[in-house]
Amino acid sequence: MRVDIRSQKLTPDREKRLISKFLQAQGRGWSCGEKICFTSDDDNAQETVDAPLMTCACCGHRNMDTSEFKRTYEEVDVSEINELRLREGDNDEDIEDAEDSDDTDANGGLEGPRSKRTQGYHRQLMEREPLSIPYNDNGDTKKVELWRLRSVWPAKKPDELAEEKDNLPDYMFDNEGNPVYYNLHPEFVREKVSAESVKSYSATICSNCKSSLNNKRTPWRSIVSGVDFGDARRLGLEPLTERERQIISKVRHYLYVIKIESNTADGRLIERGQSKLKGHGIFFADDSTRLVSDLLSLESINGDVSLQLVGPEGEYDSLAKKVLGSANVEGRGWVIYQWLKVLQEVNDHYKYDDKLPEYDEVKARLKTANEALIKDAECVNDESVAREIQIRKDDARHIRTTGVGEVEVDVGNNSDDDFPLKCSLIMSNAKNERGSDADREYLVNAAEALGNPDKKSHMTRREKYPRNDYEHGEENLVMIAPDTFIFGKAYGNKGPTLSKYEIEHLLMQYTTNAGSNRFLLCQLFESNWRHGVIGNMHAKVSSDPIEFEKVAKEFASEGFQARLRVAVKDPDGPDAKYVLSRLVPYMTFGGRKSVFGALERNQTAGEILAMNRHQGCGHSFLTFGIDDINHPNSIRFALPSSNNNTFPAVVSSASQVEMERGIKLMEGEGSIPIPQSYKERTKLMNNNPVGAAMSFKNMVHDIMSILVGIKPSNHSGDNNRTTKTVFISPDTFIGMIGTSRAFIGKTETTGSGSLHFHVIIWGGLSAELLESVADIPELCKEVASVLDSQFSAKLDRSDHIKDLVHKTIPTVKGLMKTRASANAKSVALDTSAQDTSDKDTSDVRGNTSDINGSNGSDNDSDVHMEGVSHPASEPQTQDTPSLANSVQDTSNASRDTSNEMESTDKGSDMASLHTSPTKGECSILCLKLLLLELLLTFILYSE
């Protein structure tokens, strides 16, 4: 038994191997002090510190290029992928609306669906006149070429290519000398480094697309198959806010509530990572999808949105004044105008709209609508609600939020930035946890679903022929997010919702347009949730249609309806029990395996109990999360890519330092800037939650499969047919808690929006073993040694210093006032010393006693130093040793990495005012206060 216990010990060598493997799987460039090289064997590959975040030029899919991911990337010479050329066609024939052809010859030798685009029509688009669009609030215009929206390489006109013909390879021209264009994202085709005069080009292709091309099949969800979402950045279009996206969308599926509250108290920020205002967008599912025809009417602009101002009475006018001009609340006229003008040219759903009015008229309409929105804003002042919200936001990890009194130092110039806006989707009302009330609510909902005559009908704005997913599935999707689907097309899917592979492809696009569109994310989630319930219910009915027919007849009978009415009034009576026994097996079955379904939480509790019966008592209960605000992978996933050679595709040494320290080191390293301040990073994660979710998902998978030793069965790429039981030899793999046998875990979110994972793990030293060796001292020592190697706790040095400084000087305001007071007293002492040198200094002692905080009345202006005042029994008589001791004490405090900090009372003379102060002692006091100020500034900047 002693050998078995020792085998579970986490030795330093084993710990180093696990951490190294974990960091490498995460794509981190440093592992246990050793550098990991992620650069490929390609001579043209850019050197990168962390794993490259590559994008496929064929399908636009982006992911980490490491061995842990199922999709890999490689550089392919363009001459080897002639199948990706645009189809040949008549220059004068527009065949954009022609039927798809499955002819192999017409498809360039590929089997499967093919894009309708032709060489001739693309050249024709290049000859069109540029479009003038406004680019600022003054209405100043610029010209843009709409053909650049299409993902076609090379992104040059025929005349430009003809001038470079002598330096270009032959495959870029046909037999007649016309340029040849390819179905490739031009951003991810690069010129090879070569000494030859003739250039050569390579494209980054993912393993999925390469496999299809090798098998002479059209790559799924690629440009050549007809899937091209366009890229608005090629025209320099301004990204939309949720408010602006709601204005230009033709399909409205949600009621949008913008909640604004103040984030300041006594001149300080309350919640870190925010500006002076906190914004929260709340989506409520409408009773029916609504189609809007006149986008610029007042009813259309404000018909699906409302504004709430949350705060104490008397501050509503101040809040309303602060939100004026905010793009999150008011639509920017020039942004809406430029998007509508472009969409009317390229999007099939906007082409036949009435011609846009002049810019000044559109600007005036939006101004009127914005004023009406703010005028009709609802003012909320409910302290109980605010207190409940604050409790739900409580997070010991301080991710995306901190407590009152924290100071956020913003090193950047963000005066023109808008406040971060977190968004939420409300699916249904909160459930009451009391059993009888829950039964009553369940019965009331059942009465509504079954058409109980006692239920009063409500007015609805549903149209006579409402839109539904089965008839307008993809059309609803592309019209709710026109900035994501610029051409008004998605996958050509005939089904009511997108498949999981299509959703993955959409959210993993290099543009991050889909991941940043909260309307689209809510629609995708709700659509899959609803159709998941429908599918489960259909399976239940299909399993026994005869029995279900009997139950349906019983439900429709007058007797059952009467018992249902009685059950609603008395949920504890016999009629209620009978109705529940008949309804529960059918009404809840559809939500059993659905996300946020009615029985999902109950099912999890049952699974835990079943695991306890089978595996025994769980060994460990762990909770871990990700600091998504500062995690390099989260930042990179949340930012769009402009190529595969610069950040965020690759990470240079300077870029890595910028992400870790938040300090700008280099200018012009790439076109995608790295967010520096905490506020900028919070705004980035709020705007693109997919980046944080992807990093969290990968982290959970790597922790469980590498550090714990059990691969999650529901990770992307697995399915229900995958064997879920695998043999793990205890001699070959021991994780951080020993040999693990099983686990069950769930993901949750905090009130601030960050993700964390709760997991129960069975394995290691079981509870039965601990109980059996409890009375054997020798084995208890072995067990203690193993547990000590697996579990430990410590605080970072920064936490100790932060706690010391905050206890010593609560606020920056207090520090500044104390410095001013000390300087004034130093001048006074200097003047007094010139008048008389032997005057009694007792009055000076009394005047300076407020520095200790003993007589202070203002908590913000007084510096409390009782904990660091020098004992009266140890007076300081020399200035130089006193200063040296002070600096040495501060240095020792900053180097302390233990769990318990030594007392700072000993050897400190920072408030040694028990003896008569002199000019030198006051100067020392000023120096010490300055030292603490520098220390506080260093800590705040280092965060």
Side-chain angles (χ1 to χ4, degrees):
M1 182 176 289
R2 189 190 303 270
V3 175
D4 293 337
I5 294 176
R6 289 178 177 177
S7 67
Q8 302 298 305
K9 188 173 184 178
L10 184 62
T11 62
D13 291 340
R14 185 177 295 162
E15 180 182 4
K16 183 177 180 180
R17 289 196 301 269
L18 289 175
I19 295 176
S20 177
K21 187 176 181 182
F22 171 76
L23 292 178
Q24 188 170 5
Q26 285 282 291
R28 303 308 310 278
W30 288 91
S31 174
C32 299
E34 300 178 358
K35 185 176 181 179
I36 302 175
C37 181
F38 290 100
T39 305
S40 64
D41 298 333
D42 185 16
D43 296 335
N44 297 314
Q46 187 75 17
E47 183 178 355
T48 177
V49 176
D50 290 343
L53 184 63
M54 306 300 288
T55 301
C56 177
C58 185
C59 64
H61 189 283
R62 183 181 68 165
N63 210 337
M64 290 283 186
D65 187 15
T66 65
S67 58
E68 298 296 326
F69 293 91
K70 299 181 181 299
R71 190 185 297 251
T72 58
Y73 299 82
E74 63 176 299
E75 294 294 319
V76 179
D77 195 285
V78 177
S79 62
E80 301 176 6
I81 49 178
N82 289 327
E83 299 88 350
L84 300 182
R85 291 183 176 186
L86 270 66
R87 295 168 57 181
E88 296 296 333
D90 192 347
N91 291 348
D92 298 329
E93 182 181 0
D94 181 1
I95 64 169
E96 288 290 316
D97 298 325
E99 295 294 332
D100 289 338
S101 173
D102 291 330
D103 182 67
T104 303
D105 295 334
N107 287 354
L110 297 177
E111 297 180 1
R114 178 80 178 193
S115 172
K116 306 167 186 177
R117 295 175 178 172
T118 62
Q119 301 280 351
Y121 185 64
H122 185 67
R123 299 191 197 105
Q124 186 180 7
L125 288 177
M126 293 182 174
E127 297 175 358
R128 293 184 179 179
E129 289 293 328
L131 181 69
S132 296
I133 60 174
Y135 64 88
N136 59 28
D137 193 57
N138 296 328
D140 299 332
T141 61
K142 65 178 180 180
K143 294 185 179 297
V144 295
E145 297 175 310
L146 297 178
W147 62 267
R148 296 187 181 276
L149 287 172
R150 296 159 57 111
S151 300
V152 176
W153 179 85
K156 294 183 178 181
K157 294 183 177 181
D159 295 341
E160 301 177 52
L161 294 174
E163 294 177 359
E164 305 176 16
K165 186 173 182 179
D166 294 339
N167 298 327
L168 297 178
D170 294 338
Y171 60 78
M172 294 184 65
F173 297 89
D174 59 16
N175 297 331
E176 298 178 359
N178 296 318
V180 174
Y181 293 94
Y182 289 76
N183 288 293
L184 293 171
H185 291 283
E187 294 85 356
F188 308 104
V189 180
R190 60 184 177 184
E191 180 182 350
K192 293 184 178 181
V193 178
S194 176
E196 300 180 359
S197 59
V198 178
K199 300 177 181 180
S200 60
Y201 297 89
S202 65
T204 306
I205 305 296
C206 68
S207 55
N208 290 15
C209 292
K210 190 64 168 60
S211 176
S212 298
L213 292 174
N214 292 339
N215 294 325
K216 299 299 179 183
R217 291 193 57 83
T218 303
W220 289 103
R221 296 170 288 278
S222 64
I223 305 174
V224 71
S225 68
V227 178
D228 182 16
F229 306 128
D231 190 349
R233 293 180 301 161
R234 296 169 186 162
L235 300 186
L237 298 182
E238 185 73 11
L240 296 169
T241 63
E242 300 306 321
R243 169 66 167 146
E244 294 163 348
R245 189 174 288 114
Q246 174 261 343
I247 292 175
I248 71 169
S249 299
K250 285 199 165 186
V251 166
R252 312 284 174 84
H253 189 65
Y254 299 99
L255 300 176
Y256 182 44
V257 177
I258 306 173
K259 186 178 73 172
I260 304 295
E261 57 182 315
S262 177
N263 191 37
T264 58
D266 298 329
R268 293 173 293 167
L269 291 180
I270 298 176
E271 185 171 327
R272 177 185 179 182
Q274 302 281 349
S275 62
K276 294 182 179 180
L277 293 177
K278 288 191 296 183
H280 191 180
I282 307 174
F283 298 95
F284 293 89
D286 202 352
D287 55 359
S288 177
T289 300
R290 189 164 69 98
L291 182 63
V292 179
S293 56
D294 187 3
L295 294 174
L296 296 179
S297 65
L298 180 61
E299 193 278 333
S300 174
I301 295 174
N302 290 349
D304 303 276
V305 64
S306 63
L307 179 64
Q308 283 189 354
L309 302 178
V310 181
E313 295 182 3
E315 292 189 5
Y316 298 138
D317 293 338
S318 175
L319 286 176
K321 184 177 180 181
K322 290 179 180 179
V323 300
L324 285 173
S326 169
N328 286 326
V329 178
E330 299 183 355
R332 294 168 292 178
W334 63 275
V335 176
I336 294 173
Y337 195 87
Q338 69 173 207
W339 271 97
L340 288 178
K341 200 162 186 181
V342 170
L343 289 173
Q344 286 190 354
E345 296 290 333
V346 301
N347 193 303
D348 293 338
H349 302 292
Y350 291 79
K351 282 184 178 180
Y352 305 104
D353 290 355
D354 295 336
K355 184 179 179 181
L356 283 176
E358 294 297 327
Y359 169 69
D360 292 337
E361 182 180 346
V362 173
K363 183 178 177 181
R365 291 188 189 182
L366 291 171
K367 182 180 179 180
T368 302
N370 293 330
E371 291 175 351
L373 178 66
I374 295 178
K375 181 181 178 181
D376 298 337
E378 180 182 0
C379 300
V380 180
N381 180 20
D382 192 336
E383 294 183 0
S384 62
V385 174
R387 196 162 45 246
E388 182 180 355
I389 292 175
Q390 190 62 36
I391 292 174
R392 293 186 177 184
K393 285 185 177 181
D394 187 21
D395 183 6
R397 297 181 297 126
H398 295 316
I399 303 300
R400 301 196 187 190
T401 180
T402 55
V404 176
E406 295 288 350
V407 181
E408 166 68 6
V409 177
D410 197 346
V411 299
N413 182 14
N414 298 319
S415 58
D416 295 334
D417 288 350
D418 215 337
F419 54 85
L421 184 71
K422 185 178 74 171
C423 293
S424 304
L425 171 64
I426 305 300
M427 298 294 296
S428 61
N429 295 328
K431 304 298 182 183
N432 196 312
E433 296 181 358
R434 291 170 48 185
S436 60
D437 290 344
D439 291 342
R440 180 188 299 276
E441 184 175 8
Y442 188 88
L443 291 168
V444 170
N445 291 337
E448 293 182 28
L450 296 175
N452 192 283
D454 284 355
K455 180 63 180 178
K456 296 182 180 180
S457 60
H458 296 278
M459 295 297 295
T460 177
R461 66 178 184 184
R462 181 176 298 175
E463 300 175 2
K464 182 178 180 180
Y465 302 102
R467 302 175 65 87
N468 60 78
D469 292 341
Y470 292 97
E471 295 181 355
H472 312 94
E474 181 169 301
E475 189 175 286
N476 288 339
L477 195 67
V478 299
M479 294 177 71
I480 203 174
D483 58 324
T484 301
F485 307 99
I486 295 179
F487 301 114
K489 301 175 183 177
Y491 296 95
N493 195 338
K494 304 299 183 182
T497 185
L498 300 182
S499 67
K500 66 176 183 178
Y501 302 106
E502 292 170 339
I503 294 176
E504 178 188 358
H505 174 263
L506 178 62
L507 296 181
M508 297 298 290
Q509 286 294 295
Y510 73 96
T511 58
T512 68
N513 287 338
S516 302
N517 191 326
R518 267 73 70 89
F519 281 98
L520 177 61
L521 293 177
C522 293
Q523 173 70 8
L524 290 174
F525 169 79
E526 189 190 6
S527 176
N528 280 273
W529 174 75
R530 285 187 285 105
H531 290 283
V533 174
I534 293 173
N536 293 332
M537 194 65 190
H538 174 73
K540 176 70 174 179
V541 175
S542 301
S543 62
D544 194 352
I546 298 178
E547 178 64 23
F548 186 80
E549 183 67 23
K550 294 180 181 178
V551 175
K553 291 181 179 180
E554 180 183 1
F555 288 168
S557 64
E558 181 60 31
F560 186 85
Q561 293 290 324
R563 302 186 73 167
L564 180 58
R565 287 191 291 270
V566 174
V568 170
K569 297 177 181 179
D570 183 15
D572 296 325
D575 289 318
K577 294 180 179 179
Y578 173 79
V579 171
L580 288 174
S581 66
R582 299 296 292 166
L583 288 178
V584 167
Y586 293 92
M587 298 294 288
T588 60
F589 184 85
R592 183 173 298 172
K593 295 184 179 181
S594 302
V595 179
F596 302 135
L599 295 183
E600 185 189 30
R601 184 178 295 272
N602 294 337
Q603 183 180 8
T604 301
E607 290 174 353
I608 295 175
L609 294 176
M611 290 288 287
N612 281 331
R613 289 192 295 269
H614 181 67
Q615 300 285 352
C617 183
H619 173 268
S620 304
F621 177 78
L622 304 179
T623 298
F624 55 86
I626 182 174
D627 184 8
D628 49 18
I629 298 296
N630 298 307
H631 198 285
N633 290 354
S634 297
I635 296 174
R636 296 172 66 192
F637 271 116
L639 292 172
S641 294
S642 59
N643 52 57
N644 282 333
N645 302 323
T646 59
F647 185 86
V650 297
V651 180
S652 65
S653 299
S655 299
Q656 186 184 48
V657 174
E658 288 183 29
M659 286 190 291
E660 292 180 354
R661 304 287 181 85
I663 302 174
K664 188 67 177 177
L665 298 181
M666 296 181 63
E667 295 290 345
E669 186 177 352
S671 59
I672 306 299
I674 300 175
Q676 304 295 328
S677 67
Y678 202 92
K679 172 187 170 182
E680 291 175 340
R681 297 185 178 187
T682 304
K683 185 177 180 179
L684 176 65
M685 293 302 130
N686 285 339
N687 290 343
N688 187 356
V690 174
M694 280 298 304
S695 299
F696 175 80
K697 179 181 178 181
N698 295 337
M699 185 197 68
V700 170
H701 177 262
D702 292 337
I703 287 178
M704 299 310 301
S705 60
I706 297 175
L707 299 184
V708 176
I710 305 178
K711 181 181 178 181
S713 60
N714 61 344
H715 186 65
S716 177
D718 294 341
N719 53 53
N720 294 331
R721 292 172 294 180
T722 302
T723 302
K724 296 185 179 180
T725 55
V726 295
F727 173 75
I728 301 177
S729 173
D731 299 330
T732 58
F733 186 87
I734 297 178
M736 61 180 182
I737 62 168
T739 303
S740 302
R741 302 190 305 272
F743 79 90
I744 182 170
K746 287 293 180 181
T747 299
E748 292 182 350
T749 60
T750 63
S752 58
S754 62
L755 298 170
H756 60 274
F757 188 67
H758 298 295
V759 58
I760 303 175
I761 304 173
W762 286 266
L765 302 180
S766 64
E768 292 79 6
L769 185 144
L770 298 179
E771 183 180 1
S772 63
V773 302
D775 56 348
I776 307 176
E778 294 79 4
L779 294 182
C780 286
K781 292 181 179 180
E782 297 290 346
V783 170
S785 177
V786 171
L787 294 179
D788 287 340
S789 70
Q790 296 175 350
F791 302 96
S792 63
K794 70 175 183 178
L795 287 175
D796 293 336
R797 179 179 60 185
S798 60
D799 294 325
H800 291 295
I801 301 176
K802 184 177 179 180
D803 180 69
L804 173 64
V805 174
H806 284 188
K807 285 182 178 179
T808 306
I809 301 180
T811 65
V812 175
K813 182 180 177 182
L815 173 62
M816 296 174 63
K817 289 187 176 182
T818 304
R819 286 185 59 197
S821 176
N823 287 332
K825 289 175 174 55
S826 177
V827 174
L829 285 174
D830 189 17
T831 305
S832 175
Q834 292 178 1
D835 295 338
T836 175
S837 59
D838 56 351
K839 186 177 180 180
D840 189 6
T841 59
S842 60
D843 293 337
V844 178
R845 273 200 311 273
N847 293 335
T848 58
S849 61
D850 62 321
I851 298 181
N852 264 337
S854 58
N855 298 326
S857 59
D858 186 359
N859 292 333
D860 289 338
S861 61
D862 292 340
V863 179
H864 303 277
M865 296 185 177
E866 298 87 338
V868 295
S869 60
H870 206 304
S873 60
E874 300 180 11
Q876 300 293 322
T877 59
Q878 296 183 4
D879 294 344
T880 303
S882 173
L883 178 60
N885 290 339
S886 175
V887 175
Q888 183 64 33
D889 291 343
T890 307
S891 175
N892 291 337
S894 65
R895 292 195 301 267
D896 186 10
T897 57
S898 63
N899 292 334
E900 298 180 0
M901 297 191 62
E902 298 180 359
S903 173
T904 59
D905 291 343
K906 184 177 181 180
S908 173
D909 63 346
M910 196 168 298
S912 179
L913 301 177
H914 300 281
T915 60
S916 299
T918 64
K919 175 183 176 181
E921 289 178 345
C922 285
S923 300
I924 292 172
L925 176 62
C926 293
L927 289 175
K928 293 174 181 178
L929 290 173
L930 178 61
L931 179 62
L932 281 176
E933 180 185 8
L934 293 175
L935 181 61
L936 175 62
T937 304
F938 169 76
I939 294 171
L940 294 175
Y941 272 84
S942 65
E943 293 179 350

